[in-house]
Coordinates of all heavy atoms in Angstrom, one line a residue:
M1 N -0.3 23.3 -47.7 CA -1.4 22.6 -47.0 C -2.7 23.3 -47.2 O -2.7 24.6 -47.1 CB -1.1 22.4 -45.5 CG -2.0 21.5 -44.8 SD -1.6 21.4 -43.1 CE 0.2 20.8 -43.1
P2 N -3.8 22.8 -47.4 CA -5.1 23.5 -47.6 C -5.5 24.2 -46.4 O -5.1 23.9 -45.3 CB -6.1 22.3 -48.0 CG -5.3 21.0 -48.2 CD -3.9 21.3 -47.5
K3 N -6.1 25.3 -46.7 CA -6.5 26.3 -45.5 C -8.1 26.2 -45.5 O -8.8 26.1 -46.5 CB -6.1 27.6 -45.8 CG -4.5 27.7 -45.7 CD -4.1 29.3 -45.9 CE -2.6 29.4 -46.0 NZ -1.8 28.8 -44.9
V4 N -8.6 26.4 -44.2 CA -10.0 26.5 -44.0 C -10.2 27.7 -43.0 O -9.5 27.9 -42.1 CB -10.5 25.3 -43.3 CG1 -11.9 25.6 -42.9 CG2 -10.4 24.0 -44.1
T5 N -11.1 28.6 -43.3 CA -11.5 29.6 -42.5 C -12.8 29.3 -41.8 O -13.9 28.9 -42.4 CB -11.7 31.0 -43.3 OG1 -10.5 31.2 -44.0 CG2 -12.1 32.1 -42.3
F6 N -12.8 29.3 -40.5 CA -13.9 29.2 -39.6 C -14.4 30.5 -39.2 O -13.6 31.3 -38.6 CB -13.6 28.4 -38.3 CG -13.3 27.0 -38.6 CD1 -11.9 26.6 -38.9 CD2 -14.1 25.9 -38.5 CE1 -11.6 25.3 -39.1 CE2 -13.9 24.7 -38.6 CZ -12.6 24.3 -39.0
I7 N -15.7 30.8 -39.4 CA -16.2 32.1 -39.0 C -17.1 31.8 -37.6 O -17.9 31.0 -37.6 CB -17.2 32.7 -40.0 CG1 -16.6 32.8 -41.3 CG2 -17.7 34.1 -39.5 CD1 -17.5 33.4 -42.4
N8 N -16.6 32.4 -36.5 CA -17.3 32.2 -35.2 C -18.6 33.0 -35.3 O -18.8 33.8 -36.0 CB -16.3 32.8 -34.2 CG -15.1 31.9 -34.0 OD1 -15.2 30.7 -33.7 ND2 -13.9 32.5 -34.2
P9 N -19.4 32.6 -34.2 CA -20.8 33.3 -34.1 C -20.6 34.8 -33.8 O -21.5 35.6 -34.2 CB -21.3 32.7 -32.9 CG -20.7 31.2 -32.9 CD -19.4 31.4 -33.3
D10 N -19.5 35.2 -33.4 CA -19.2 36.7 -33.1 C -18.6 37.5 -34.4 O -18.2 38.5 -34.4 CB -18.4 37.0 -31.8 CG -16.9 36.5 -32.0 OD1 -16.6 36.0 -33.2 OD2 -16.2 36.8 -31.1
E11 N -18.6 36.7 -35.5 CA -18.0 37.1 -36.8 C -16.5 37.1 -36.8 O -16.0 37.5 -37.9 CB -18.6 38.5 -37.1 CG -20.1 38.5 -37.3 CD -20.6 37.7 -38.4 OE1 -20.0 37.4 -39.4 OE2 -21.7 37.1 -38.2
S12 N -15.7 36.8 -35.8 CA -14.3 36.7 -35.9 C -14.0 35.5 -36.7 O -14.8 34.5 -36.9 CB -13.7 36.6 -34.4 OG -14.1 35.5 -33.9
R13 N -12.8 35.5 -37.3 CA -12.5 34.4 -38.2 C -11.2 33.8 -37.8 O -10.3 34.4 -37.2 CB -12.3 35.0 -39.7 CG -13.5 35.4 -40.3 CD -13.3 36.1 -41.6 NE -14.6 36.4 -42.3 CZ -14.9 35.9 -43.4 NH1 -14.2 35.2 -44.1 NH2 -16.0 36.2 -44.0
V14 N -11.1 32.5 -38.0 CA -9.9 31.7 -37.7 C -9.5 30.9 -38.8 O -10.3 30.2 -39.4 CB -10.0 30.8 -36.5 CG1 -8.8 30.0 -36.2 CG2 -10.5 31.6 -35.2
E15 N -8.3 31.1 -39.4 CA -7.8 30.3 -40.5 C -6.8 29.2 -40.0 O -5.8 29.6 -39.2 CB -7.2 31.3 -41.6 CG -6.7 30.6 -42.8 CD -6.1 31.4 -43.9 OE1 -4.8 31.6 -43.7 OE2 -6.7 32.0 -44.6
L16 N -7.2 28.1 -40.5 CA -6.3 27.0 -40.0 C -5.7 26.2 -41.3 O -6.4 26.2 -42.3 CB -7.1 25.9 -39.2 CG -7.7 26.3 -38.0 CD1 -8.4 25.0 -37.3 CD2 -6.6 26.8 -37.0
D17 N -4.6 25.7 -41.1 CA -4.0 24.7 -42.2 C -4.5 23.4 -41.7 O -4.2 23.0 -40.6 CB -2.5 24.8 -42.0 CG -1.8 26.1 -42.6 OD1 -2.3 26.6 -43.5 OD2 -0.8 26.5 -41.9
V18 N -5.1 22.7 -42.7 CA -5.7 21.4 -42.4 C -5.1 20.4 -43.3 O -5.3 20.5 -44.4 CB -7.3 21.4 -42.4 CG1 -7.9 20.1 -42.1 CG2 -8.0 22.5 -41.6
P19 N -4.5 19.4 -42.6 CA -3.8 18.3 -43.5 C -5.0 17.6 -44.3 O -6.1 17.3 -43.8 CB -3.2 17.4 -42.5 CG -3.1 18.1 -41.3 CD -4.1 19.2 -41.2
V20 N -4.7 17.2 -45.6 CA -5.5 16.4 -46.4 C -5.8 15.2 -45.6 O -4.8 14.5 -45.0 CB -4.9 16.1 -47.7 CG1 -5.6 15.1 -48.5 CG2 -4.9 17.4 -48.6
G21 N -7.0 14.7 -45.6 CA -7.4 13.5 -44.8 C -7.8 13.8 -43.4 O -8.4 12.9 -42.8
T22 N -7.6 15.0 -43.0 CA -8.2 15.4 -41.6 C -9.5 16.0 -41.7 O -9.8 16.8 -42.5 CB -7.2 16.3 -41.0 OG1 -5.9 15.6 -40.8 CG2 -7.6 16.7 -39.5
S23 N -10.4 15.6 -40.7 CA -11.8 16.3 -40.7 C -11.7 17.7 -40.1 O -10.8 18.0 -39.4 CB -12.9 15.4 -39.9 OG -12.6 15.6 -38.7
L24 N -12.6 18.5 -40.6 CA -12.7 19.8 -40.1 C -12.9 19.9 -38.6 O -12.5 20.6 -37.8 CB -13.8 20.6 -40.7 CG -13.3 21.5 -42.0 CD1 -12.6 20.5 -43.0 CD2 -14.4 22.3 -42.5
M25 N -13.8 18.9 -38.0 CA -14.0 18.8 -36.8 C -12.7 18.5 -35.9 O -12.4 19.2 -34.9 CB -15.2 17.8 -36.3 CG -15.4 17.6 -35.0 SD -14.3 16.5 -33.9 CE -14.6 14.9 -34.5
R26 N -11.9 17.6 -36.4 CA -10.6 17.3 -35.7 C -9.7 18.5 -35.7 O -9.0 18.8 -34.7 CB -10.0 16.1 -36.4 CG -10.6 14.8 -36.1 CD -10.2 14.1 -34.8 NE -11.0 13.0 -34.6 CZ -11.4 12.5 -33.5 NH1 -11.2 13.3 -32.4 NH2 -12.0 11.5 -33.3
A27 N -9.7 19.2 -36.8 CA -8.9 20.3 -36.9 C -9.2 21.4 -35.9 O -8.4 22.0 -35.3 CB -8.8 20.8 -38.3
A28 N -10.5 21.7 -35.9 CA -11.0 22.7 -35.1 C -10.9 22.4 -33.6 O -10.4 23.3 -32.8 CB -12.6 22.9 -35.4
T29 N -11.1 21.3 -33.2 CA -11.2 20.9 -31.8 C -9.6 20.9 -31.3 O -9.2 21.3 -30.3 CB -11.8 19.6 -31.3 OG1 -11.3 18.6 -32.2 CG2 -13.3 19.7 -31.5
A30 N -8.7 20.4 -32.2 CA -7.3 20.5 -32.0 C -6.7 21.8 -31.7 O -5.8 22.1 -31.0 CB -6.6 19.7 -33.0
H31 N -7.4 22.8 -32.4 CA -6.8 24.2 -32.3 C -7.8 25.0 -31.3 O -7.8 26.2 -31.2 CB -7.0 24.8 -33.6 CG -5.7 24.3 -34.5 ND1 -5.7 23.2 -35.2 CD2 -4.5 24.8 -34.8 CE1 -4.7 22.9 -35.7 NE2 -3.9 23.9 -35.5
G32 N -8.6 24.4 -30.6 CA -9.3 25.1 -29.5 C -10.4 26.0 -30.1 O -10.8 26.9 -29.4
I33 N -11.0 25.7 -31.2 CA -12.1 26.5 -31.7 C -13.3 26.1 -30.9 O -13.8 25.0 -31.0 CB -12.3 26.4 -33.3 CG1 -11.1 26.9 -33.9 CG2 -13.5 27.0 -33.7 CD1 -11.1 26.8 -35.4
E34 N -13.8 26.9 -30.0 CA -14.8 26.5 -29.0 C -16.1 26.2 -29.6 O -16.9 25.4 -29.1 CB -14.9 27.6 -28.0 CG -13.7 27.7 -27.1 CD -13.9 28.8 -26.1 OE1 -15.1 29.5 -25.9 OE2 -13.0 29.2 -25.4
G35 N -16.5 26.9 -30.7 CA -17.9 26.6 -31.3 C -18.0 25.1 -31.9 O -19.2 24.8 -32.2
I36 N -16.9 24.5 -32.1 CA -17.1 23.1 -32.6 C -16.9 22.2 -31.4 O -15.8 22.1 -30.8 CB -16.0 22.8 -33.7 CG1 -16.2 23.7 -34.8 CG2 -16.1 21.4 -34.1 CD1 -17.4 23.5 -35.7
V37 N -17.9 21.5 -31.0 CA -17.9 20.7 -29.7 C -17.3 19.3 -30.1 O -16.4 18.8 -29.6 CB -19.1 20.7 -29.1 CG1 -19.1 19.8 -27.8 CG2 -19.7 22.0 -28.7
G38 N -18.1 18.7 -31.0 CA -17.6 17.3 -31.4 C -17.7 16.2 -30.3 O -16.6 15.5 -30.1
D39 N -18.7 16.3 -29.6 CA -18.8 15.5 -28.4 C -18.7 13.9 -28.7 O -18.1 13.2 -27.8 CB -20.3 15.6 -27.8 CG -20.3 16.4 -26.6 OD1 -19.3 16.7 -26.0 OD2 -21.5 16.7 -26.1
C40 N -19.0 13.5 -29.8 CA -19.0 12.0 -30.1 C -17.7 11.5 -30.8 O -17.6 10.5 -31.1 CB -20.3 11.6 -30.8 SG -20.1 12.0 -32.6
G41 N -16.8 12.5 -31.0 CA -15.5 12.2 -31.7 C -15.6 11.8 -33.1 O -14.8 11.2 -33.6
G42 N -16.7 12.2 -33.7 CA -16.9 11.9 -35.1 C -17.7 10.7 -35.4 O -17.7 10.2 -36.5
G43 N -18.4 10.2 -34.5 CA -19.1 8.9 -34.6 C -20.5 9.2 -35.1 O -21.3 8.3 -35.2
L44 N -20.9 10.4 -35.5 CA -22.1 10.8 -36.1 C -23.2 10.5 -35.0 O -24.3 10.0 -35.5 CB -22.4 10.1 -37.4 CG -21.9 10.7 -38.6 CD1 -22.3 9.9 -39.9 CD2 -22.6 12.1 -38.8
T45 N -23.1 10.8 -33.8 CA -24.1 10.7 -32.8 C -24.5 11.9 -32.1 O -25.3 11.8 -31.1 CB -23.8 9.4 -31.8 OG1 -22.5 9.7 -31.2 CG2 -23.7 8.1 -32.6
C46 N -23.8 13.0 -32.2 CA -24.0 14.1 -31.5 C -24.5 15.5 -32.1 O -25.3 16.2 -31.5 CB -22.7 14.4 -30.6 SG -21.5 15.3 -31.6
A47 N -24.1 15.6 -33.4 CA -24.5 16.9 -34.2 C -24.1 18.1 -33.5 O -24.6 19.0 -33.7 CB -26.1 16.8 -34.3
T48 N -22.9 18.0 -32.7 CA -22.4 19.2 -32.2 C -21.1 19.8 -32.9 O -20.4 20.6 -32.4 CB -22.0 19.0 -30.6 OG1 -20.9 18.0 -30.6 CG2 -23.1 18.5 -29.9
C49 N -21.1 19.4 -34.2 CA -20.0 19.9 -34.9 C -20.5 20.5 -36.2 O -19.9 20.6 -37.3 CB -19.2 18.6 -35.4 SG -20.0 17.4 -36.4
H50 N -21.7 21.0 -36.0 CA -22.5 21.7 -37.2 C -21.8 22.9 -37.8 O -21.5 23.8 -37.0 CB -23.8 21.9 -36.6 CG -24.9 22.5 -37.6 ND1 -26.0 23.2 -37.2 CD2 -24.9 22.5 -38.9 CE1 -26.7 23.5 -38.2 NE2 -26.1 23.1 -39.3
V51 N -21.8 22.9 -39.0 CA -21.2 24.2 -39.8 C -22.1 24.4 -40.9 O -22.8 23.5 -41.4 CB -19.6 23.9 -40.3 CG1 -18.8 23.8 -38.9 CG2 -19.6 22.8 -41.1
L52 N -22.0 25.7 -41.4 CA -22.6 26.1 -42.6 C -21.5 26.4 -43.6 O -20.7 27.1 -43.4 CB -23.4 27.4 -42.4 CG -24.4 27.2 -41.1 CD1 -25.2 28.6 -41.0 CD2 -25.4 26.1 -41.4
V53 N -21.6 25.6 -44.7 CA -20.6 25.6 -45.8 C -20.9 26.8 -46.7 O -22.0 26.9 -47.2 CB -20.4 24.4 -46.5 CG1 -19.4 24.5 -47.6 CG2 -20.1 23.2 -45.6
E54 N -19.8 27.6 -47.0 CA -20.1 28.7 -48.1 C -20.5 28.0 -49.4 O -19.8 27.1 -49.8 CB -18.6 29.4 -48.2 CG -18.8 30.6 -49.0 CD -17.7 31.5 -49.0 OE1 -17.4 32.3 -48.2 OE2 -16.8 31.2 -50.0
E55 N -21.5 28.6 -49.9 CA -22.2 27.9 -51.0 C -21.3 27.5 -52.2 O -21.4 26.5 -52.8 CB -23.4 28.7 -51.4 CG -24.6 28.6 -50.8 CD -24.7 29.4 -49.5 OE1 -23.7 30.1 -49.2 OE2 -25.8 29.4 -48.8
T56 N -20.3 28.3 -52.5 CA -19.5 28.1 -53.7 C -18.7 26.8 -53.5 O -18.2 26.2 -54.5 CB -18.5 29.2 -53.9 OG1 -17.8 29.5 -52.8 CG2 -19.3 30.5 -54.5
F57 N -18.5 26.3 -52.2 CA -17.7 25.1 -52.0 C -18.6 23.8 -51.9 O -18.1 22.8 -51.8 CB -16.9 25.3 -50.7 CG -15.6 26.1 -50.9 CD1 -15.7 27.5 -50.6 CD2 -14.5 25.5 -51.4 CE1 -14.7 28.2 -50.7 CE2 -13.4 26.4 -51.6 CZ -13.5 27.8 -51.3
L58 N -19.8 24.1 -52.0 CA -20.8 22.8 -51.8 C -20.5 21.8 -52.7 O -20.5 20.6 -52.4 CB -22.2 23.3 -51.6 CG -22.7 23.8 -50.4 CD1 -24.1 24.5 -50.5 CD2 -22.6 23.0 -49.2
P59 N -20.3 22.1 -54.0 CA -20.1 21.0 -55.0 C -18.8 20.3 -54.7 O -18.6 19.1 -55.3 CB -19.9 21.8 -56.5 CG -20.6 23.0 -56.1 CD -20.3 23.4 -54.7
D60 N -17.8 20.8 -53.9 CA -16.5 20.0 -53.8 C -16.6 19.3 -52.5 O -15.7 18.6 -52.2 CB -15.4 21.1 -53.7 CG -15.2 21.7 -55.0 OD1 -15.2 21.0 -56.0 OD2 -15.0 23.0 -55.1
T61 N -17.7 19.4 -51.7 CA -17.8 18.6 -50.4 C -18.3 17.2 -50.7 O -18.8 16.9 -51.7 CB -18.7 19.3 -49.4 OG1 -20.0 19.3 -50.0 CG2 -18.3 20.7 -49.1
P62 N -17.9 16.3 -49.9 CA -18.3 14.8 -50.1 C -19.8 14.8 -50.0 O -20.4 15.5 -49.2 CB -17.5 14.1 -49.0 CG -17.2 15.2 -48.1 CD -17.1 16.4 -48.7
P63 N -20.4 13.8 -50.6 CA -21.8 13.6 -50.5 C -22.3 13.4 -49.1 O -21.5 12.8 -48.2 CB -22.1 12.4 -51.4 CG -20.9 11.9 -52.0 CD -19.8 12.8 -51.4
I64 N -23.5 13.7 -48.8 CA -24.1 13.4 -47.5 C -24.5 12.1 -47.4 O -25.3 11.7 -48.2 CB -25.2 14.5 -47.1 CG1 -24.7 15.9 -47.1 CG2 -25.9 14.1 -45.8 CD1 -25.9 16.9 -47.0
T65 N -24.0 11.3 -46.4 CA -24.3 10.0 -46.2 C -25.7 9.9 -45.5 O -26.2 10.8 -44.9 CB -23.3 9.2 -45.4 OG1 -23.4 9.8 -44.0 CG2 -22.0 9.3 -45.9
P66 N -26.4 8.7 -45.5 CA -27.7 8.5 -44.9 C -27.6 8.9 -43.4 O -28.5 9.5 -42.9 CB -28.1 7.1 -45.2 CG -27.4 6.8 -46.5 CD -26.2 7.6 -46.4
N67 N -26.5 8.5 -42.7 CA -26.4 8.7 -41.3 C -26.2 10.2 -41.0 O -26.8 10.8 -40.1 CB -25.2 8.0 -40.8 CG -25.4 6.5 -40.6 OD1 -26.7 6.1 -40.7 ND2 -24.4 5.7 -40.5
E68 N -25.4 10.9 -41.9 CA -25.3 12.4 -41.7 C -26.7 13.0 -41.9 O -27.0 14.1 -41.2 CB -24.1 13.0 -42.6 CG -24.0 14.4 -42.4 CD -22.9 15.1 -43.2 OE1 -22.3 14.4 -44.0 OE2 -22.7 16.4 -43.0
E69 N -27.3 12.6 -42.9 CA -28.6 13.2 -43.2 C -29.5 13.1 -42.1 O -30.2 14.0 -41.8 CB -29.2 12.3 -44.5 CG -30.5 12.8 -45.0 CD -30.2 14.0 -46.0 OE1 -29.2 14.1 -46.7 OE2 -31.1 14.9 -45.9
Q70 N -29.6 11.9 -41.4 CA -30.3 11.8 -40.3 C -29.9 12.7 -39.2 O -30.8 13.3 -38.5 CB -30.4 10.3 -39.8 CG -31.3 10.0 -38.8 CD -31.3 8.3 -38.7 OE1 -30.3 7.7 -39.0 NE2 -32.4 7.8 -38.1
M71 N -28.7 12.7 -38.8 CA -28.2 13.6 -37.6 C -28.4 15.1 -37.8 O -28.6 15.8 -37.0 CB -26.7 13.3 -37.4 CG -26.5 12.0 -36.7 SD -27.5 11.7 -35.3 CE -26.9 13.0 -34.2
L72 N -28.4 15.5 -39.2 CA -28.6 16.9 -39.4 C -29.9 17.4 -38.9 O -30.1 18.6 -38.6 CB -28.4 17.2 -41.0 CG -26.9 17.3 -41.4 CD1 -26.9 17.2 -43.0 CD2 -26.2 18.5 -40.9
D73 N -30.8 16.5 -38.8 CA -32.1 16.9 -38.3 C -32.0 17.1 -36.6 O -33.1 17.5 -36.1 CB -33.1 15.8 -38.5 CG -33.5 15.8 -40.1 OD1 -33.3 16.8 -40.7 OD2 -33.9 14.7 -40.4
F74 N -31.0 16.8 -36.1 CA -30.9 17.0 -34.7 C -29.9 18.1 -34.3 O -29.5 18.1 -33.1 CB -30.4 15.6 -34.0 CG -31.3 14.5 -34.1 CD1 -31.3 13.6 -35.1 CD2 -32.5 14.5 -33.2 CE1 -32.3 12.6 -35.3 CE2 -33.4 13.5 -33.3 CZ -33.4 12.5 -34.3
T75 N -29.6 18.9 -35.1 CA -28.6 20.1 -34.7 C -29.5 21.0 -33.9 O -30.6 21.3 -34.2 CB -28.1 20.8 -36.1 OG1 -29.3 21.2 -36.8 CG2 -27.3 19.8 -36.8
A76 N -28.8 21.6 -33.0 CA -29.4 22.6 -32.1 C -29.9 23.8 -32.9 O -31.0 24.4 -32.5 CB -28.4 23.0 -30.9
M77 N -29.1 24.3 -33.7 CA -29.5 25.5 -34.6 C -30.6 25.4 -35.4 O -31.4 26.2 -35.8 CB -28.2 26.0 -35.3 CG -28.4 27.2 -36.2 SD -27.1 27.4 -37.2 CE -27.6 29.1 -38.0
G78 N -30.8 24.0 -35.9 CA -31.7 23.7 -37.0 C -31.0 23.7 -38.3 O -30.0 24.4 -38.6
R79 N -31.4 22.7 -39.1 CA -30.7 22.5 -40.4 C -31.0 23.7 -41.4 O -32.2 24.2 -41.5 CB -31.2 21.1 -41.0 CG -30.5 20.8 -42.3 CD -30.9 19.4 -42.7 NE -30.1 19.0 -43.9 CZ -30.1 17.9 -44.4 NH1 -30.9 16.9 -43.9 NH2 -29.3 17.6 -45.5
Q80 N -29.8 24.0 -42.1 CA -30.0 25.0 -43.2 C -29.6 24.3 -44.5 O -29.1 23.3 -44.4 CB -29.0 26.1 -42.9 CG -29.0 26.7 -41.4 CD -30.4 27.4 -41.2 OE1 -30.8 28.3 -41.9 NE2 -31.0 27.1 -40.0
P81 N -29.9 25.0 -45.7 CA -29.6 24.4 -46.9 C -28.1 24.0 -47.1 O -27.9 23.1 -47.8 CB -30.0 25.4 -47.9 CG -31.1 26.3 -47.1 CD -30.7 26.3 -45.7
N82 N -27.2 24.8 -46.4 CA -25.8 24.5 -46.6 C -25.3 23.9 -45.3 O -24.0 24.0 -45.0 CB -25.0 25.8 -46.9 CG -25.4 26.9 -46.0 OD1 -26.2 26.8 -45.1 ND2 -24.5 27.9 -45.9
S83 N -26.0 23.3 -44.5 CA -25.6 22.6 -43.2 C -24.7 21.3 -43.5 O -25.1 20.6 -44.4 CB -26.8 22.1 -42.5 OG -27.4 23.3 -41.7
R84 N -23.7 21.1 -42.8 CA -23.0 19.9 -42.9 C -22.4 19.6 -41.4 O -22.3 20.6 -40.6 CB -21.7 19.9 -43.7 CG -22.1 20.0 -45.2 CD -22.9 18.9 -45.7 NE -22.2 17.6 -45.5 CZ -21.4 16.9 -46.5 NH1 -21.3 17.5 -47.7 NH2 -20.9 15.7 -46.3
L85 N -22.1 18.4 -41.2 CA -21.4 18.0 -39.9 C -20.0 18.0 -40.2 O -19.5 17.2 -41.1 CB -22.0 16.7 -39.4 CG -23.5 16.8 -39.0 CD1 -24.0 15.4 -38.6 CD2 -23.7 17.8 -37.9
S86 N -19.3 18.7 -39.4 CA -17.8 18.9 -39.8 C -16.9 17.7 -39.6 O -15.9 17.6 -40.1 CB -17.2 20.2 -39.2 OG -17.2 20.0 -37.7
C87 N -17.4 16.8 -38.8 CA -16.7 15.6 -38.7 C -16.8 14.6 -40.0 O -16.0 13.8 -40.2 CB -17.3 14.7 -37.6 SG -19.0 14.1 -37.6
Q88 N -17.7 15.1 -40.9 CA -17.8 14.4 -42.1 C -17.2 15.1 -43.3 O -17.2 14.6 -44.4 CB -19.3 14.1 -42.5 CG -19.9 13.4 -41.4 CD -19.3 12.0 -41.1 OE1 -19.2 11.2 -42.0 NE2 -18.9 11.8 -39.9
L89 N -16.6 16.3 -43.0 CA -15.9 17.1 -44.0 C -14.5 16.8 -43.9 O -13.7 17.3 -43.0 CB -16.3 18.5 -43.8 CG -17.8 18.9 -44.1 CD1 -17.9 20.4 -43.8 CD2 -18.1 18.6 -45.5
V90 N -13.9 15.9 -44.7 CA -12.5 15.5 -44.7 C -11.7 16.3 -45.7 O -12.3 16.4 -46.9 CB -12.5 13.9 -45.0 CG1 -10.9 13.7 -45.0 CG2 -13.1 13.1 -43.8
M91 N -10.7 16.8 -45.3 CA -10.0 17.8 -46.2 C -9.5 17.2 -47.4 O -9.0 16.0 -47.4 CB -8.9 18.4 -45.3 CG -8.5 19.7 -45.8 SD -9.8 20.9 -45.8 CE -9.3 22.1 -46.9
T92 N -9.6 18.0 -48.5 CA -9.0 17.5 -49.8 C -8.4 18.8 -50.3 O -8.6 19.9 -49.9 CB -10.0 17.1 -50.7 OG1 -10.9 18.1 -51.0 CG2 -10.8 15.9 -50.2
E93 N -7.5 18.7 -51.4 CA -6.9 19.8 -52.0 C -8.0 20.6 -52.6 O -7.9 21.9 -52.7 CB -5.9 19.3 -53.0 CG -4.6 18.7 -52.5 CD -3.6 19.7 -51.7 OE1 -3.9 20.9 -51.8 OE2 -2.8 19.2 -51.0
A94 N -9.0 20.1 -53.2 CA -10.1 20.8 -53.8 C -10.8 21.7 -52.8 O -11.4 22.7 -53.2 CB -11.1 19.8 -54.4
L95 N -10.7 21.4 -51.6 CA -11.4 22.3 -50.5 C -10.5 23.4 -50.0 O -10.9 24.1 -49.0 CB -12.0 21.3 -49.4 CG -13.1 20.5 -49.7 CD1 -13.5 19.6 -48.6 CD2 -14.3 21.3 -50.1
D96 N -9.4 23.6 -50.5 CA -8.4 24.7 -50.1 C -9.2 26.0 -50.2 O -9.7 26.3 -51.3 CB -7.2 24.7 -51.0 CG -6.1 25.6 -50.5 OD1 -6.1 26.0 -49.3 OD2 -5.3 26.2 -51.4
G97 N -9.1 26.8 -49.2 CA -9.7 28.0 -49.1 C -11.2 28.0 -48.6 O -11.9 29.0 -48.6
L98 N -11.6 26.8 -48.3 CA -12.9 26.7 -47.8 C -13.3 27.6 -46.6 O -12.5 27.8 -45.7 CB -13.1 25.1 -47.3 CG -14.4 24.8 -46.6 CD1 -15.6 24.9 -47.6 CD2 -14.4 23.3 -46.0
V99 N -14.6 28.0 -46.6 CA -14.9 29.0 -45.6 C -16.2 28.3 -44.9 O -17.1 28.0 -45.7 CB -15.3 30.4 -46.1 CG1 -15.9 31.3 -45.0 CG2 -14.0 31.0 -46.7
V100 N -16.3 28.1 -43.6 CA -17.5 27.7 -43.0 C -17.8 28.5 -41.8 O -17.0 29.0 -41.1 CB -17.2 26.2 -42.4 CG1 -17.0 25.2 -43.6 CG2 -16.1 26.0 -41.5
R101 N -19.1 28.7 -41.6 CA -19.6 29.5 -40.5 C -20.0 28.4 -39.4 O -20.7 27.4 -39.7 CB -20.8 30.2 -41.0 CG -21.5 31.0 -39.7 CD -22.6 31.9 -40.4 NE -22.0 33.0 -41.3 CZ -21.6 34.1 -40.7 NH1 -21.7 34.4 -39.3 NH2 -21.1 35.0 -41.5
I102 N -19.5 28.6 -38.1 CA -19.8 27.7 -37.1 C -21.4 28.0 -36.6 O -21.8 29.2 -36.3 CB -19.0 27.9 -35.9 CG1 -17.5 27.6 -36.4 CG2 -19.3 27.2 -34.6 CD1 -16.4 28.0 -35.3
A103 N -22.1 26.9 -36.5 CA -23.4 27.0 -36.1 C -23.7 27.5 -34.7 O -22.8 27.2 -33.9 CB -24.1 25.7 -36.3
D104 N -24.6 28.2 -34.5 CA -24.9 28.7 -33.0 C -26.4 28.7 -32.8 O -27.2 29.3 -33.5 CB -24.3 30.2 -33.1 CG -24.5 30.7 -31.6 OD1 -24.3 29.9 -30.6 OD2 -24.6 31.9 -31.5
P105 N -26.8 27.9 -31.7 CA -25.9 27.2 -30.7 C -25.7 25.8 -31.4 O -26.2 25.4 -32.2 CB -26.8 27.1 -29.6 CG -28.3 27.0 -30.2 CD -28.3 27.9 -31.4
Q106 N -24.8 25.2 -30.6 CA -24.3 23.6 -31.0 C -25.0 22.8 -30.0 O -25.1 21.6 -30.3 CB -22.8 23.6 -30.8 CG -22.0 24.2 -31.9 CD -22.1 23.4 -33.3 OE1 -22.9 22.6 -33.5 NE2 -21.2 23.8 -34.2
L107 N -25.3 23.3 -28.8 CA -25.9 22.4 -27.8 C -27.3 22.9 -27.4 O -27.7 24.0 -27.4 CB -25.1 22.4 -26.6 CG -23.6 21.9 -26.6 CD1 -22.7 22.2 -25.4 CD2 -23.5 20.5 -27.0
Ligands
LIG1 S1 -18.6 15.1 -33.8 FE1 -20.5 14.1 -33.3 S2 -21.6 14.3 -35.2 FE2 -19.8 15.2 -35.6

């Protein structure tokens, strides 16, 4: 199963097995990763699932939809060049080994 490493704001790391087809937000909240809030449940209305994707993986991530594009402007941390909303990052085999930094703050 593909693995994803989440880097917490305190620099601690959590590695999760994430099934293909599952969003990073769902995987993180299911495993109690506190930095991923996911208030809207993946409906693209909260921007509390903000992560920064390690640059080498950016080409393998799905394209940013117009709705995600809009919501990235409402992140509490502020948008970075490698910002994504983790509810929109659905796991694929190509993303095995993905590393994301959890945005701080989320709210
Ligand atoms: S969970 Fe709300 S925008 Fe991602």
